[in-house]
Amino acid sequence: MVDAALISLCLQVLLTMTDIPRDHPRYQSLVTREMLVKGVRDGITSMQGLIAHGRGEAFDYLLGEKTTAPALGAEKAAVAMLLLARNPVVSVNGNAAALAAPEMVALAKEVNAGVEVNLFHRTEERVGKIAGLLRSNGCEPLGVHPDRLIPGLSHDRAKASSEGIFTADVVLVPLEDGDRCEALVKMGKKVIVVDLNPLSRSARTATVTIVDNIVRALPNMVKLAEEMKSLPRPELEKIAGGFSNETALSAALDAMMETVQSSKQH
Ligand code: ATP
Ligand code: MG
């Protein structure tokens, strides 16, 4: 029988040997995969998170792996909503932690939001590791000892903290599961999701859906927050109020269909 520790050691050696050439046409996409694999090895990301990422990658391919103009518009509306909020919260799961922990903390600081750990595949060990990662990025996260349950949800994903997601008026939940997004909307919250799949239930239920990869969306949002935080409230209200999720999703589908059409012509 092959020793599990030996397999793990071999895997680690192989991974450290992986040297992605910088001139590879899909360099960023490959680096992102490595970040997630590291997330799994560090006990931050679940194995299921790798599969969820694969689904996202397929849609990103159709988008041309870039932030489209409508996605940037959604990012702007989302930042305006966060800046206008009374109690905004940024929710962090295993994929978001592996791919964008520093940016999530930076965004929370810019918009004065809480940061809450919230996991679908919750184990206390993973919560502790993600909380540690967030602390090393300079914030004290909520959700380590959740004391409330989101109504209408079974399962550990219902857990929330009373100062954080439970009482928040605006929640940014990147890569959210459809049911939880719906339950948060039903509680009267404005829900912002980052989801490359414009057809997902999350995308269709959210108040603002950003159809962009989290590795591009979060740095964009940090920059936008720096620029927009000095804007007067009426200006922010205009930006947030002018957003239509239906129009944004339809624009994302148009962008994907354009990629398919132009590939057929070649
Ligand atoms: P539904 O919303 O229909 O319930 P789901 O919650 O079952 O879908 P999951 O399998 O949980 O979907 O995956 C979460 C979503 O996150 C997927 O729709 C996928 O497109 C998206 N996703 C995965 N990786 C990224 C990423 N890096 N950036 C943005 N979105 C991503
Ligand atoms: Mg979803």
Side-chain angles (χ1 to χ4, degrees):
M1 211 175 87
V2 188
D3 184 24
L6 184 63
I7 295 179
S8 162
L9 184 68
C10 289
L11 271 175
Q12 283 184 31
V13 171
L14 269 176
L15 279 166
T16 41
M17 277 168 60
T18 311
D19 195 13
I20 303 164
R22 281 210 152 256
D23 59 353
H24 192 289
R26 304 196 57 259
Y27 176 79
Q28 185 55 52
S29 169
L30 298 178
V31 169
T32 307
R33 284 186 183 180
E34 291 297 327
M35 288 163 85
L36 276 174
V37 169
K38 183 174 182 316
V40 172
R41 287 166 61 212
D42 292 347
I44 282 169
T45 309
S46 68
M47 297 282 261
Q48 292 85 345
L50 298 178
I51 300 169
H53 182 75
R55 184 187 291 174
E57 272 192 349
F59 286 100
D60 205 13
Y61 210 103
L62 291 173
L63 267 187
E65 294 172 333
K66 60 178 192 297
T67 301
T68 62
L72 193 61
E75 285 156 14
K76 216 168 162 189
V79 169
M81 248 174 223
L82 287 164
L83 285 166
L84 287 165
R86 173 185 42 80
N87 180 21
V89 173
V90 170
S91 172
V92 180
N93 69 6
N95 284 43
L99 295 180
E103 291 82 4
M104 297 209 58
V105 172
L107 177 65
K109 280 198 178 139
E110 291 296 336
V111 301
N112 221 350
V115 177
E116 181 157 340
V117 181
N118 189 279
L119 306 181
F120 191 96
H121 300 282
R122 187 183 176 100
T123 66
E124 292 318 307
E125 200 188 338
R126 279 184 64 222
V127 171
K129 286 190 170 161
I130 294 172
L133 176 67
L134 293 169
R135 282 187 198 112
S136 71
N137 279 285
C139 83
E140 185 49 46
L142 300 159
V144 179
H145 304 292
D147 53 349
R148 302 300 292 261
L149 292 176
I150 297 165
L153 285 181
S154 59
H155 199 260
D156 274 353
R157 69 205 157 121
K159 290 184 176 172
S161 79
S162 48
E163 318 127 76
I165 289 178
F166 198 80
T167 53
D169 53 343
V170 179
V171 200
L172 168 66
V173 274
L175 328 184
E176 181 55 301
D177 135 83
D179 273 8
R180 191 156 168 275
C181 180
E182 197 177 348
L184 292 171
V185 169
K186 274 196 186 144
M187 285 177 87
K189 299 177 194 305
K190 289 183 175 144
V191 180
I192 302 160
V193 299
V194 180
D195 194 336
L196 280 160
N197 175 6
L199 303 170
S200 81
R201 288 174 307 139
S202 318
R204 310 219 141 236
T205 320
T207 319
V208 175
T209 302
I210 297 166
V211 185
D212 199 2
N213 198 313
I214 189 173
V215 300
R216 298 189 298 268
L218 262 292
N220 287 347
M221 289 171 82
V222 175
K223 220 182 294 160
L224 285 167
E226 283 165 5
E227 291 163 12
M228 289 166 66
K229 69 180 173 192
S230 54
L231 289 179
R233 281 185 81 84
E235 191 74 28
L236 293 173
E237 277 157 8
K238 216 164 96 191
I239 296 168
F243 178 83
S244 153
N245 203 45
E246 218 174 295
T247 309
L249 291 180
S250 161
L253 284 169
D254 283 346
M256 291 179 187
M257 264 144 49
E258 227 170 86
T259 308
V260 175
Q261 286 299 345
S262 63
S263 308
K264 275 169 74 178
Q265 279 156 20
H266 293 140

